[in-house]
PDB file of all heavy atoms in Angstrom:
ATOM      1  N   ASN A  82    -176.537 125.539-120.309  1.00 98.00           N
ATOM      2  CA  ASN A  82    -177.864 126.146-120.160  1.00 98.00           C
ATOM      3  C   ASN A  82    -178.378 125.982-118.726  1.00 98.00           C
ATOM      4  O   ASN A  82    -177.805 125.236-117.926  1.00 98.00           O
ATOM      5  CB  ASN A  82    -178.828 125.468-121.151  1.00 98.00           C
ATOM      6  CG  ASN A  82    -179.968 126.387-121.567  1.00 98.00           C
ATOM      7  OD1 ASN A  82    -180.348 127.314-120.835  1.00 98.00           O
ATOM      8  ND2 ASN A  82    -180.534 126.138-122.726  1.00 98.00           N
ATOM      9  N   ILE A  83    -179.459 126.638-118.424  1.00 98.00           N
ATOM     10  CA  ILE A  83    -180.096 126.511-117.108  1.00 98.00           C
ATOM     11  C   ILE A  83    -180.561 125.050-116.960  1.00 98.00           C
ATOM     12  O   ILE A  83    -181.180 124.502-117.879  1.00 98.00           O
ATOM     13  CB  ILE A  83    -181.304 127.474-117.003  1.00 98.00           C
ATOM     14  CG1 ILE A  83    -180.864 128.926-117.251  1.00 98.00           C
ATOM     15  CG2 ILE A  83    -181.997 127.336-115.659  1.00 98.00           C
ATOM     16  CD1 ILE A  83    -182.010 129.912-117.425  1.00 98.00           C
ATOM     17  N   ALA A  84    -180.228 124.441-115.824  1.00 98.00           N
ATOM     18  CA  ALA A  84    -180.618 123.051-115.501  1.00 98.00           C
ATOM     19  C   ALA A  84    -179.975 122.012-116.429  1.00 98.00           C
ATOM     20  O   ALA A  84    -180.510 120.911-116.595  1.00 98.00           O
ATOM     21  CB  ALA A  84    -182.138 122.885-115.490  1.00 98.00           C
ATOM     22  N   LYS A  87    -174.927 121.419-114.436  1.00 98.00           N
ATOM     23  CA  LYS A  87    -173.642 121.984-113.988  1.00 98.00           C
ATOM     24  C   LYS A  87    -173.380 121.675-112.507  1.00 98.00           C
ATOM     25  O   LYS A  87    -172.298 121.236-112.133  1.00 98.00           O
ATOM     26  CB  LYS A  87    -173.612 123.514-114.212  1.00 98.00           C
ATOM     27  CG  LYS A  87    -173.776 123.936-115.666  1.00 98.00           C
ATOM     28  CD  LYS A  87    -173.801 125.442-115.824  1.00 98.00           C
ATOM     29  CE  LYS A  87    -174.944 126.142-115.107  1.00 98.00           C
ATOM     30  NZ  LYS A  87    -176.289 125.740-115.528  1.00 98.00           N
ATOM     31  N   GLU A 105    -172.402 128.633-108.424  1.00 98.00           N
ATOM     32  CA  GLU A 105    -172.852 130.007-108.684  1.00 98.00           C
ATOM     33  C   GLU A 105    -173.394 130.632-107.394  1.00 98.00           C
ATOM     34  O   GLU A 105    -174.050 129.944-106.617  1.00 98.00           O
ATOM     35  CB  GLU A 105    -174.012 129.982-109.693  1.00 98.00           C
ATOM     36  CG  GLU A 105    -173.598 130.192-111.120  1.00 98.00           C
ATOM     37  CD  GLU A 105    -174.787 130.061-112.064  1.00 98.00           C
ATOM     38  OE1 GLU A 105    -175.817 129.483-111.676  1.00 98.00           O
ATOM     39  OE2 GLU A 105    -174.672 130.523-113.201  1.00 98.00           O
ATOM     40  N   ILE A 107    -175.947 131.839-106.419  1.00 98.00           N
ATOM     41  CA  ILE A 107    -177.376 132.077-106.673  1.00 98.00           C
ATOM     42  C   ILE A 107    -178.118 132.479-105.398  1.00 98.00           C
ATOM     43  O   ILE A 107    -179.095 133.239-105.461  1.00 98.00           O
ATOM     44  CB  ILE A 107    -178.036 130.863-107.365  1.00 98.00           C
ATOM     45  CG1 ILE A 107    -179.425 131.230-107.862  1.00 98.00           C
ATOM     46  CG2 ILE A 107    -178.044 129.630-106.511  1.00 98.00           C
ATOM     47  CD1 ILE A 107    -179.943 130.426-109.010  1.00 98.00           C
ATOM     48  N   TRP A 110    -178.133 136.053-105.399  1.00 98.00           N
ATOM     49  CA  TRP A 110    -179.025 136.652-106.395  1.00 98.00           C
ATOM     50  C   TRP A 110    -180.477 136.571-105.935  1.00 98.00           C
ATOM     51  O   TRP A 110    -181.324 137.309-106.414  1.00 98.00           O
ATOM     52  CB  TRP A 110    -178.885 135.953-107.753  1.00 98.00           C
ATOM     53  CG  TRP A 110    -177.475 135.874-108.260  1.00 98.00           C
ATOM     54  CD1 TRP A 110    -176.396 136.622-107.825  1.00 98.00           C
ATOM     55  CD2 TRP A 110    -176.957 134.994-109.245  1.00 98.00           C
ATOM     56  NE1 TRP A 110    -175.261 136.242-108.490  1.00 98.00           N
ATOM     57  CE2 TRP A 110    -175.569 135.249-109.376  1.00 98.00           C
ATOM     58  CE3 TRP A 110    -177.535 134.000-110.052  1.00 98.00           C
ATOM     59  CZ2 TRP A 110    -174.754 134.556-110.260  1.00 98.00           C
ATOM     60  CZ3 TRP A 110    -176.724 133.305-110.946  1.00 98.00           C
ATOM     61  CH2 TRP A 110    -175.348 133.584-111.040  1.00 98.00           C
ATOM     62  N   LEU A 119    -183.363 138.074-108.578  1.00 98.00           N
ATOM     63  CA  LEU A 119    -183.622 137.019-109.573  1.00 98.00           C
ATOM     64  C   LEU A 119    -185.126 136.934-109.850  1.00 98.00           C
ATOM     65  O   LEU A 119    -185.564 136.931-111.005  1.00 98.00           O
ATOM     66  CB  LEU A 119    -183.085 135.665-109.083  1.00 98.00           C
ATOM     67  CG  LEU A 119    -183.209 134.519-110.077  1.00 98.00           C
ATOM     68  CD1 LEU A 119    -182.267 134.715-111.276  1.00 98.00           C
ATOM     69  CD2 LEU A 119    -182.931 133.163-109.427  1.00 98.00           C
ATOM     70  N   MET A 122    -186.313 140.005-111.726  1.00 98.00           N
ATOM     71  CA  MET A 122    -185.960 139.986-113.150  1.00 98.00           C
ATOM     72  C   MET A 122    -186.946 139.128-113.940  1.00 98.00           C
ATOM     73  O   MET A 122    -187.400 139.526-115.013  1.00 98.00           O
ATOM     74  CB  MET A 122    -184.522 139.468-113.313  1.00 98.00           C
ATOM     75  CG  MET A 122    -183.960 139.529-114.717  1.00 98.00           C
ATOM     76  SD  MET A 122    -184.514 138.195-115.800  1.00 98.00           S
ATOM     77  CE  MET A 122    -183.779 136.771-115.035  1.00 98.00           C
ATOM     78  N   TYR A 123    -187.292 137.957-113.407  1.00 98.00           N
ATOM     79  CA  TYR A 123    -188.227 137.099-114.146  1.00 98.00           C
ATOM     80  C   TYR A 123    -189.626 137.731-114.205  1.00 98.00           C
ATOM     81  O   TYR A 123    -190.344 137.555-115.182  1.00 98.00           O
ATOM     82  CB  TYR A 123    -188.275 135.694-113.538  1.00 98.00           C
ATOM     83  CG  TYR A 123    -187.108 134.820-113.980  1.00 98.00           C
ATOM     84  CD1 TYR A 123    -186.243 134.247-113.058  1.00 98.00           C
ATOM     85  CD2 TYR A 123    -186.870 134.585-115.342  1.00 98.00           C
ATOM     86  CE1 TYR A 123    -185.166 133.450-113.475  1.00 98.00           C
ATOM     87  CE2 TYR A 123    -185.795 133.795-115.756  1.00 98.00           C
ATOM     88  CZ  TYR A 123    -184.962 133.241-114.825  1.00 98.00           C
ATOM     89  OH  TYR A 123    -183.898 132.455-115.251  1.00 98.00           O
ATOM     90  N   LEU A 133    -180.410 142.863-111.660  1.00 98.00           N
ATOM     91  CA  LEU A 133    -179.872 141.510-111.468  1.00 98.00           C
ATOM     92  C   LEU A 133    -178.496 141.385-112.105  1.00 98.00           C
ATOM     93  O   LEU A 133    -177.539 140.923-111.475  1.00 98.00           O
ATOM     94  CB  LEU A 133    -180.810 140.453-112.068  1.00 98.00           C
ATOM     95  CG  LEU A 133    -180.202 139.039-112.033  1.00 98.00           C
ATOM     96  CD1 LEU A 133    -180.117 138.510-110.613  1.00 98.00           C
ATOM     97  CD2 LEU A 133    -180.968 138.073-112.920  1.00 98.00           C
ATOM     98  N   GLN A 134    -178.378 141.827-113.367  1.00 98.00           N
ATOM     99  CA  GLN A 134    -177.124 141.574-114.084  1.00 98.00           C
ATOM    100  C   GLN A 134    -175.949 142.366-113.501  1.00 98.00           C
ATOM    101  O   GLN A 134    -174.811 141.911-113.565  1.00 98.00           O
ATOM    102  CB  GLN A 134    -177.305 141.846-115.574  1.00 98.00           C
ATOM    103  CG  GLN A 134    -178.225 140.857-116.271  1.00 98.00           C
ATOM    104  CD  GLN A 134    -177.858 139.387-116.121  1.00 98.00           C
ATOM    105  OE1 GLN A 134    -178.724 138.536-116.055  1.00 98.00           O
ATOM    106  NE2 GLN A 134    -176.561 139.048-116.047  1.00 98.00           N
ATOM    107  N   VAL A 137    -175.021 140.160-110.622  1.00 98.00           N
ATOM    108  CA  VAL A 137    -174.390 138.924-111.112  1.00 98.00           C
ATOM    109  C   VAL A 137    -172.941 139.231-111.496  1.00 98.00           C
ATOM    110  O   VAL A 137    -172.015 138.492-111.141  1.00 98.00           O
ATOM    111  CB  VAL A 137    -175.165 138.340-112.320  1.00 98.00           C
ATOM    112  CG1 VAL A 137    -174.348 137.238-113.005  1.00 98.00           C
ATOM    113  CG2 VAL A 137    -176.528 137.796-111.890  1.00 98.00           C
ATOM    114  N   MET A 141    -169.899 137.427-109.655  1.00 98.00           N
ATOM    115  CA  MET A 141    -169.067 136.535-110.471  1.00 98.00           C
ATOM    116  C   MET A 141    -167.597 136.978-110.407  1.00 98.00           C
ATOM    117  O   MET A 141    -166.690 136.148-110.307  1.00 98.00           O
ATOM    118  CB  MET A 141    -169.538 136.540-111.922  1.00 98.00           C
ATOM    119  CG  MET A 141    -170.735 135.672-112.174  1.00 98.00           C
ATOM    120  SD  MET A 141    -170.328 133.938-111.872  1.00 98.00           S
ATOM    121  CE  MET A 141    -171.745 133.150-112.603  1.00 98.00           C
ATOM    122  N   GLU A 157    -168.720 127.281-111.398  1.00 98.00           N
ATOM    123  CA  GLU A 157    -169.940 127.227-112.211  1.00 98.00           C
ATOM    124  C   GLU A 157    -170.104 128.539-112.967  1.00 98.00           C
ATOM    125  O   GLU A 157    -170.176 129.600-112.382  1.00 98.00           O
ATOM    126  CB  GLU A 157    -171.156 126.984-111.299  1.00 98.00           C
ATOM    127  CG  GLU A 157    -172.426 126.671-112.062  1.00 98.00           C
ATOM    128  CD  GLU A 157    -173.560 126.260-111.125  1.00 98.00           C
ATOM    129  OE1 GLU A 157    -173.373 126.308-109.881  1.00 98.00           O
ATOM    130  OE2 GLU A 157    -174.634 125.916-111.637  1.00 98.00           O
ATOM    131  N   ARG A 158    -170.172 128.433-114.268  1.00 98.00           N
ATOM    132  CA  ARG A 158    -170.234 129.578-115.190  1.00 98.00           C
ATOM    133  C   ARG A 158    -169.107 130.576-114.934  1.00 98.00           C
ATOM    134  O   ARG A 158    -168.103 130.257-114.314  1.00 98.00           O
ATOM    135  CB  ARG A 158    -171.609 130.270-115.114  1.00 98.00           C
ATOM    136  CG  ARG A 158    -172.729 129.433-115.716  1.00 98.00           C
ATOM    137  CD  ARG A 158    -173.765 130.311-116.393  1.00 98.00           C
ATOM    138  NE  ARG A 158    -174.850 129.549-116.955  1.00 98.00           N
ATOM    139  CZ  ARG A 158    -176.005 129.289-116.352  1.00 98.00           C
ATOM    140  NH1 ARG A 158    -176.206 129.741-115.137  1.00 98.00           N
ATOM    141  NH2 ARG A 158    -176.933 128.591-116.937  1.00 98.00           N
ATOM    142  N   ALA A 163    -172.150 135.338-118.070  1.00 98.00           N
ATOM    143  CA  ALA A 163    -173.159 136.263-117.542  1.00 98.00           C
ATOM    144  C   ALA A 163    -173.402 137.382-118.562  1.00 98.00           C
ATOM    145  O   ALA A 163    -174.544 137.763-118.839  1.00 98.00           O
ATOM    146  CB  ALA A 163    -172.714 136.834-116.204  1.00 98.00           C
ATOM    147  N   PHE A 167    -176.423 135.932-120.861  1.00 98.00           N
ATOM    148  CA  PHE A 167    -177.642 136.414-120.202  1.00 98.00           C
ATOM    149  C   PHE A 167    -177.933 137.891-120.486  1.00 98.00           C
ATOM    150  O   PHE A 167    -179.070 138.249-120.789  1.00 98.00           O
ATOM    151  CB  PHE A 167    -177.578 136.119-118.695  1.00 98.00           C
ATOM    152  CG  PHE A 167    -177.734 134.654-118.429  1.00 98.00           C
ATOM    153  CD1 PHE A 167    -176.635 133.818-118.333  1.00 98.00           C
ATOM    154  CD2 PHE A 167    -178.995 134.091-118.332  1.00 98.00           C
ATOM    155  CE1 PHE A 167    -176.777 132.451-118.127  1.00 98.00           C
ATOM    156  CE2 PHE A 167    -179.160 132.723-118.126  1.00 98.00           C
ATOM    157  CZ  PHE A 167    -178.047 131.912-118.023  1.00 98.00           C
ATOM    158  N   ARG A 220    -186.652 120.237-111.063  1.00 95.00           N
ATOM    159  CA  ARG A 220    -185.976 120.939-109.963  1.00 95.00           C
ATOM    160  C   ARG A 220    -186.926 121.903-109.259  1.00 95.00           C
ATOM    161  O   ARG A 220    -186.855 122.097-108.065  1.00 95.00           O
ATOM    162  CB  ARG A 220    -184.761 121.694-110.494  1.00 95.00           C
ATOM    163  CG  ARG A 220    -184.023 122.445-109.407  1.00 95.00           C
ATOM    164  CD  ARG A 220    -182.750 123.078-109.905  1.00 95.00           C
ATOM    165  NE  ARG A 220    -182.987 124.102-110.918  1.00 95.00           N
ATOM    166  CZ  ARG A 220    -182.041 124.652-111.660  1.00 95.00           C
ATOM    167  NH1 ARG A 220    -180.803 124.263-111.510  1.00 95.00           N
ATOM    168  NH2 ARG A 220    -182.318 125.582-112.548  1.00 95.00           N
ATOM    169  N   ARG A 222    -187.438 125.310-109.090  1.00 95.00           N
ATOM    170  CA  ARG A 222    -187.031 126.511-108.358  1.00 95.00           C
ATOM    171  C   ARG A 222    -188.131 127.560-108.527  1.00 95.00           C
ATOM    172  O   ARG A 222    -188.517 127.862-109.659  1.00 95.00           O
ATOM    173  CB  ARG A 222    -185.709 127.005-108.959  1.00 95.00           C
ATOM    174  CG  ARG A 222    -184.841 127.771-108.031  1.00 95.00           C
ATOM    175  CD  ARG A 222    -183.573 128.209-108.766  1.00 95.00           C
ATOM    176  NE  ARG A 222    -182.401 127.408-108.487  1.00 95.00           N
ATOM    177  CZ  ARG A 222    -181.353 127.280-109.315  1.00 95.00           C
ATOM    178  NH1 ARG A 222    -181.364 127.882-110.495  1.00 95.00           N
ATOM    179  NH2 ARG A 222    -180.307 126.553-108.986  1.00 95.00           N
ATOM    180  N   GLU A 225    -188.143 130.269-111.202  1.00 96.00           N
ATOM    181  CA  GLU A 225    -187.990 129.822-112.588  1.00 96.00           C
ATOM    182  C   GLU A 225    -189.242 129.167-113.167  1.00 96.00           C
ATOM    183  O   GLU A 225    -189.211 128.686-114.306  1.00 96.00           O
ATOM    184  CB  GLU A 225    -186.799 128.848-112.680  1.00 96.00           C
ATOM    185  CG  GLU A 225    -185.490 129.532-112.326  1.00 96.00           C
ATOM    186  CD  GLU A 225    -184.290 128.588-112.299  1.00 96.00           C
ATOM    187  OE1 GLU A 225    -184.504 127.361-112.276  1.00 96.00           O
ATOM    188  OE2 GLU A 225    -183.156 129.076-112.282  1.00 96.00           O
ATOM    189  N   ILE A 228    -190.322 130.219-116.644  1.00 97.00           N
ATOM    190  CA  ILE A 228    -189.428 130.083-117.811  1.00 97.00           C
ATOM    191  C   ILE A 228    -190.053 129.156-118.858  1.00 97.00           C
ATOM    192  O   ILE A 228    -190.273 127.980-118.603  1.00 97.00           O
ATOM    193  CB  ILE A 228    -188.045 129.530-117.387  1.00 97.00           C
ATOM    194  CG1 ILE A 228    -187.345 130.507-116.442  1.00 97.00           C
ATOM    195  CG2 ILE A 228    -187.171 129.247-118.606  1.00 97.00           C
ATOM    196  CD1 ILE A 228    -185.948 130.064-116.001  1.00 97.00           C
ATOM    197  N   TYR A 232    -187.307 130.421-123.914  1.00 98.00           N
ATOM    198  CA  TYR A 232    -186.216 131.109-123.212  1.00 98.00           C
ATOM    199  C   TYR A 232    -184.957 130.230-123.222  1.00 98.00           C
ATOM    200  O   TYR A 232    -183.852 130.696-123.526  1.00 98.00           O
ATOM    201  CB  TYR A 232    -186.644 131.426-121.772  1.00 98.00           C
ATOM    202  CG  TYR A 232    -185.652 132.265-120.999  1.00 98.00           C
ATOM    203  CD1 TYR A 232    -185.600 133.647-121.162  1.00 98.00           C
ATOM    204  CD2 TYR A 232    -184.758 131.682-120.104  1.00 98.00           C
ATOM    205  CE1 TYR A 232    -184.680 134.417-120.461  1.00 98.00           C
ATOM    206  CE2 TYR A 232    -183.843 132.439-119.392  1.00 98.00           C
ATOM    207  CZ  TYR A 232    -183.812 133.807-119.571  1.00 98.00           C
ATOM    208  OH  TYR A 232    -182.905 134.565-118.872  1.00 98.00           O
TER     209      TYR A 232
HETATM  210  C1  LIG B 307    -175.427 133.722-114.767  1.00 73.60           C
HETATM  211  C2  LIG B 307    -176.842 134.202-114.814  1.00 73.60           C
HETATM  212  C3  LIG B 307    -177.875 133.418-114.367  1.00 73.60           C
HETATM  213  N1  LIG B 307    -179.147 133.865-114.422  1.00 73.60           N
HETATM  214  C4  LIG B 307    -180.232 133.019-113.918  1.00 73.60           C
HETATM  215  C5  LIG B 307    -180.609 131.878-114.804  1.00 73.60           C
HETATM  216  C6  LIG B 307    -181.125 130.861-113.838  1.00 73.60           C
HETATM  217  O1  LIG B 307    -182.461 131.177-113.488  1.00 73.60           O
HETATM  218  C7  LIG B 307    -180.224 131.073-112.629  1.00 73.60           C
HETATM  219  C8  LIG B 307    -179.006 130.211-112.658  1.00 73.60           C
HETATM  220  O2  LIG B 307    -179.411 128.886-112.571  1.00 73.60           O
HETATM  221  P1  LIG B 307    -178.569 127.651-113.137  1.00 73.60           P
HETATM  222  O3  LIG B 307    -179.434 126.501-112.781  1.00 73.60           O
HETATM  223  O4  LIG B 307    -177.293 127.641-112.398  1.00 73.60           O
HETATM  224  O5  LIG B 307    -178.371 127.814-114.603  1.00 73.60           O
HETATM  225  O6  LIG B 307    -179.823 132.421-112.681  1.00 73.60           O
HETATM  226  C9  LIG B 307    -179.430 135.103-114.945  1.00 73.60           C
HETATM  227  O7  LIG B 307    -180.607 135.501-115.039  1.00 73.60           O
HETATM  228  N2  LIG B 307    -178.409 135.893-115.365  1.00 73.60           N
HETATM  229  C10 LIG B 307    -177.127 135.484-115.319  1.00 73.60           C
HETATM  230  O8  LIG B 307    -176.201 136.235-115.730  1.00 73.60           O
END
Side-chain angles (χ1 to χ4, degrees):
N82 207 334
I83 303 169
K87 300 178 298 300
E105 265 176 341
I107 191 155
W110 307 343
L119 184 69
M122 186 281 294
Y123 280 122
L133 173 70
Q134 292 305 146
V137 168
M141 280 296 193
E157 190 173 5
R158 290 215 181 94
F167 288 92
R220 180 174 64 191
R222 207 181 259 155
E225 296 176 345
I228 297 182
Y232 186 81

